[in-house]
């Protein structure tokens, strides 16, 4: 028997239309995600206008399936949660408007949820459908997605303090751009990761480096360095290395917009991707280590779409094991965008006595700092 309250989650911040039902114990009774891969593939990336129209079209089937799988009816829902930002405004508006209408129509509380707050707590969800784990009083969060790369200190009472965020590109975004330059089809990140598994980073290791901010720098400078991520330099290094491969004849150049099947990528390009991926993950490990030296990490929760990265998962496992740190790696089902994490974040707010937001006035926002919402909620 599910526990009260039953919360409906809605997530439409980018290209996934998602609906979930989570119960009062944090059990995910249903989590349905409809990807829009075919719609965006001809363009090599997400087209906002197409994405918001697709959300409208997908919603009836996605929500009907979520309720059917959960075995509940609209009347059984005790609260409604929808992502209010950050994300693509036209996309957010679809999910938030539906959520507001359901909450108002049924007279239920409404929670406008911060997308990154959802990712942050997603590692505590149980992939087997059991109750969610309790949040520790304090934990460190590493959130890596297509739009964000964030290191935060979080508390079970909802307070969040940003330690480091990206100054330029996000980790997942760079995987996508490098894959796109190689002619790989959208979504490129997971394909780059898979191809990198067969590569040997050694021949290209010198072409990629991580700015550590340690050697020969003053403590103050090293501190400033630890306080941000930067991926645009790594992206340029990768793009230049691809150009060199093309000039050497090892990689056939493609006409603009042409798609290359992953199996057609030569081993030299897989080696390059392996070195690129290693440097991308090294930077995360470097910043984490610097943070841990100053403020010891006790529990590390790793989340976001790019937390599906195989090397990242192995390196985080080793890094935490070597230091006796309690690692919470997001289950693969809840790494990418989903609505279970949105409903779960609303449940945590409800447990803290938060009555929710006024559905008549809550608005979407393309950018919202995570610290600000946590303090308010
Ligand atoms: O969290 P998410 O689903 O959406 C955002 O909120 O951005 O993250 C999607 C991002 C995309 O950039 C995607 O390419 C990346 O996560 N991603 C990966 C992998 N799987 C997904 N990046 C690297 N390795 C992967 N295995
Ligand atoms: Zn996301």
């Amino acid at each position: 028997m599910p526990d009260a309250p039953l919360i409906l989650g809605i997530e439409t911040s980018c290209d996934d239309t998602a609906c979930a039902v989570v119960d009062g114990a944090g059990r995910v009774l249903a989590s349905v995600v409809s990807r829009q891969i075919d719609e965006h593939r001809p363009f090599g990336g997400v087209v906002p206008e197409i994405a918001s129209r697709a959300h409208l079209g997908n919603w009836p089937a996605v929500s009907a399936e979520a309720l059917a799988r959960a075995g509940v009816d609209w009347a059984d829902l005790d609260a409604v949660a929808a992502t209010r930002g950050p994300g693509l405004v036209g996309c957010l508006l679809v999910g938030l408007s539906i959520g507001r209408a359901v909450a108002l129509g049924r007279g239920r509380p409404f929670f406008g949820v911060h997308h990154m707050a959802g990712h942050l707590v997603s590692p505590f969800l149980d992939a087997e459908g059991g109750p969610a784990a309790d949040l520790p009083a304090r934990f460190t969060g590493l959130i890596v997605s297509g739009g964000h790369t964030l290191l935060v200190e979080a508390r079970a009472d909802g307070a969040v303090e940003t330690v480091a965020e990206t100054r330029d590109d996000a980790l997942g975004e760079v995987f996508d751009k490098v894959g796109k330059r190689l002619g790989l089809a959208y979504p490129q990140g997971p394909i780059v990761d898979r191809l990198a598994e067969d590569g040997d980073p050694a021949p290209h290791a010198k072409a990629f480096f991580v700015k550590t901010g340690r050697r020969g720098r003053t403590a103050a400078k090293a501190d400033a360095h630890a306080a941000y991520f930067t991926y645009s330099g790594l992206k340029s290094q990768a793009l230049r290395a691809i150009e060199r491969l093309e000039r050497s004849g090892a990689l056939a150049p493609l006409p603009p917009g042409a798609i290359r099947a992953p199996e057609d990528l030569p081993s030299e390009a897989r080696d390059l991707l392996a070195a690129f991926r290693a440097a991308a993950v090294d930077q995360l490990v470097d910043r984490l280590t610097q943070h841990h030296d100053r403020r010891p990490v006790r529990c590390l929760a790793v989340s976001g779409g790019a937390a599906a990265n195989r090397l990242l998962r192995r390196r985080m496992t080793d890094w935490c094991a070597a230091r006796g740190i309690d690692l919470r790696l997001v289950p693969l089902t809840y790494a990418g965008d989903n609505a279970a994490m949105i409903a779960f974040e609303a449940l945590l707010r409800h447990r803290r006595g938060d009555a929710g937001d006024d559905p008549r006035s809550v608005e979407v926002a393309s950018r919202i700092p995570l610290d600000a919402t946590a303090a308010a909620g």
Side-chain angles (χ1 to χ4, degrees):
M1 267 300 280
D3 292 344
L6 279 185
I7 304 184
L8 181 79
I10 304 172
E11 156 62 41
T12 63
S13 66
C14 189
D15 57 336
D16 297 314
T17 314
C19 180
V21 181
V22 169
D23 84 351
R27 287 186 196 91
V28 181
L29 304 185
S31 173
V32 177
V33 181
S34 169
R35 317 268 337 249
Q36 304 175 359
I37 293 176
D38 291 342
E39 286 89 335
H40 300 290
R41 181 161 282 155
F43 307 95
V46 177
V47 183
E49 165 80 16
I50 293 178
S52 42
R53 280 172 187 267
H55 286 313
L56 266 180
N58 291 341
W59 172 256
V62 168
S63 54
E65 193 179 333
L67 267 69
R69 277 199 215 165
V72 302
D73 193 54
W74 292 100
D76 301 325
L77 300 168
D78 299 307
V80 181
T83 306
R84 73 175 187 92
L88 300 169
V89 166
C91 293
L92 291 163
L93 276 171
V94 176
L96 195 89
S97 305
I98 291 169
R100 286 169 56 161
V102 173
L104 275 173
R106 302 225 160 244
R108 298 287 190 262
F110 178 76
F111 292 83
V113 173
H114 193 294
H115 182 79
M116 305 311 288
H119 276 303
L120 176 66
V121 296
S122 61
F124 299 95
L125 289 170
D126 183 63
E128 316 302 327
D134 287 336
L135 267 60
R138 146 172 140 54
F139 64 100
T140 305
L142 177 66
I143 316 171
V144 283
S145 73
H148 295 82
T149 310
L150 262 179
L151 181 64
V152 301
E153 278 298 325
R155 291 201 318 240
D157 69 2
V160 178
E161 180 196 335
T162 301
V163 174
E165 60 187 319
T166 183
R167 276 197 173 167
D168 36 60
D169 293 357
L171 183 79
E173 184 183 359
V174 173
F175 272 74
D176 294 332
K177 286 179 177 164
V178 169
K180 190 172 178 182
R181 173 65 180 78
L182 285 169
L184 300 171
Y186 159 86
Q188 296 88 355
I191 311 179
V192 167
D193 180 29
R194 186 157 47 76
L195 291 168
E197 286 286 290
D198 316 328
D200 172 9
H204 291 275
K206 282 210 185 100
F208 299 97
F209 51 86
V210 181
K211 284 190 187 170
T212 62
R214 283 212 201 94
R215 230 166 305 140
R217 287 177 192 264
T218 61
K221 276 203 177 153
D223 262 15
H225 231 105
Y228 66 88
F229 298 98
T230 168
Y231 279 107
S232 70
L234 186 64
K235 179 182 66 187
S236 310
Q237 290 161 17
L239 299 183
R240 278 201 301 272
I242 294 171
E243 247 174 66
R244 281 198 298 275
L245 266 195
E246 286 180 343
R247 277 203 305 269
S248 74
L251 177 71
L254 284 185
I259 297 289
R260 186 177 347 237
E263 50 280 12
D264 292 342
L265 211 67
S267 65
E268 289 86 345
R270 289 163 203 248
D271 292 348
L272 186 157
L273 291 180
F276 156 75
R277 183 181 67 164
V281 175
D282 274 350
Q283 185 178 145
L284 296 177
V285 173
D286 175 75
R287 301 305 194 258
L288 260 179
T289 308
Q290 292 193 49
H291 178 58
H292 179 63
D293 288 347
R294 274 172 293 147
R295 285 167 76 174
V297 176
R298 274 179 257 153
C299 171
L300 177 68
V302 182
S303 62
N309 189 274
R310 293 162 175 88
L311 180 67
L312 183 150
R313 296 179 83 85
R314 293 196 291 268
R315 294 286 306 274
M316 290 300 142
T317 305
D318 294 347
W319 189 84
C320 286
R323 292 162 182 80
I325 293 167
D326 174 15
L327 173 65
R328 308 297 175 106
L329 259 184
V330 65
L332 286 176
T333 5
Y334 303 124
D337 288 346
N338 66 85
M341 67 184 194
I342 301 303
F344 181 46
E345 166 63 9
L347 172 67
L348 295 173
R349 282 173 55 183
H350 161 80
R351 283 181 182 166
R352 296 195 289 264
D354 179 343
D357 304 302
D358 184 345
R360 285 161 304 190
S361 57
V362 63
E363 287 189 11
V364 303
S366 60
R367 287 163 181 274
I368 324 167
L370 186 52
D371 317 41
T373 49

